[in-house]
Amino acid sequence: MTTISDKMAARGVGALTDRELLTLLTEDGQRADALLAACGDSLARIAGEGEARLRMIGGLGLRRARLLLAAAEFGRRAVAERAAEADCIATSDDVVRLFRPQLEQLPHEECWAVYLTASNRIIERQRVSQGGVTGTVVDHRIVVKRALELLATQLILIHNHPSGTAEASPQDRALTERIARAAALFDIRLLDHIVIARSGDFSFLRAGLLG
């Protein structure tokens, strides 16, 4: 009978099913089944669970729960590192791929700015604000000042919603308008403002909310 290890040796780790991956990490198929059942067959939901919750599922225990969390964090960091190697932005989806690994699971809100040349090459990525669960305060003057220092001609704003809802709040809309107006005074264009959440993402550009 072919084992999971045999399958991985013959076909590579990418050939394993979600259940088989979890079986390797938890050392038990029944625990893997319990995890998938409790989290709607979603590896992303399993990776987003806290240590205390994981320990309770299927008698996983502290050691295996921490191993799962370490594996999830390893994956997130690997994806973030690959994304960070990108030096050019072509679409809003590129921005989401760049920032989702570092923002999606944060318990607090952060706002970042990406400063670009006229040809969409990334000059700098900078965190411009860090707040609490429900919001963060962004000073539009600091955002535009940094663009001027870098001689950037374009910029993109990105922030996360720890609540998990990818919708633009009234505060998000007001901030977008303030920064767009302030940047335009110096011929700097706000290309997009993107909200990242576990449920998806929201783009002001896609929604037609940027002039």
Side-chain angles (χ1 to χ4, degrees), residues 115-118 123 145-154 188:
Y115 298 99
L116 305 161
T117 66
I123 303 173
K145 178 177 180 288
R146 186 57 180 160
L148 292 169
E149 292 170 347
L150 295 169
L151 300 179
T153 58
Q154 305 182 108
I188 299 169

Side-chain angles (χ1 to χ4, degrees), residues 6-196:
D6 291 336
K7 181 178 178 180
M8 185 167 64
R11 299 170 56 189
V13 69
L16 300 184
T17 65
D18 292 351
R19 182 185 185 276
E20 288 168 340
L21 282 172
L22 286 173
T23 298
L24 283 178
L25 289 169
T26 62
E27 305 168 322
D28 187 279
Q30 290 184 335
R31 291 191 181 98
D33 290 336
L35 280 166
L36 289 168
C39 296
D41 291 328
S42 169
L43 292 184
R45 283 185 58 186
I46 294 172
E49 293 286 358
E51 180 182 295
R53 163 76 170 148
L54 285 176
R55 290 177 62 182
M56 295 171 58
I57 300 175
L60 199 60
L62 178 60
R63 183 179 66 85
R64 294 185 184 90
R66 287 181 173 173
L67 180 61
L68 273 179
L69 292 174
E73 182 60 23
F74 179 90
R76 277 192 289 269
R77 292 188 188 188
V79 171
E81 187 174 316
R82 284 196 297 269
E85 294 172 355
D87 63 357
C88 193
I89 295 293
T91 67
S92 296
D93 289 339
D94 291 338
V95 181
V96 173
R97 281 192 292 270
L98 184 62
F99 280 91
R100 179 172 291 284
Q102 73 184 72
L103 294 182
E104 182 180 30
Q105 298 295 333
L106 288 181
H108 59 271
E109 194 167 301
E110 289 189 359
C111 185
W112 287 69
V114 177
Y115 298 99
L116 305 161
T117 66
S119 59
N120 290 345
R121 183 179 62 82
I122 297 174
I123 303 173
E124 182 178 273
R125 292 173 294 155
Q126 183 183 66
R127 184 173 63 188
V128 294
S129 180
Q130 178 176 325
V133 175
T134 59
T136 185
V137 177
V138 180
D139 189 332
H140 65 280
R141 294 166 297 186
I142 292 176
V143 174
V144 175
K145 178 177 180 288
R146 186 57 180 160
L148 292 169
E149 292 170 347
L150 295 169
L151 300 179
T153 58
Q154 305 182 108
L155 67 94
I156 299 171
L157 285 180
I158 309 97
H159 79 277
N160 63 309
H161 278 180
S163 65
T165 302
E167 294 291 339
S169 68
Q171 292 82 4
D172 295 337
R173 293 171 184 258
L175 172 64
T176 304
E177 184 176 346
R178 282 198 306 272
I179 289 184
R181 287 182 176 177
L185 293 175
F186 302 96
D187 294 323
I188 299 169
R189 184 183 176 197
L190 177 63
L191 293 180
D192 203 352
H193 183 180
I194 296 172
V195 180
I196 292 176

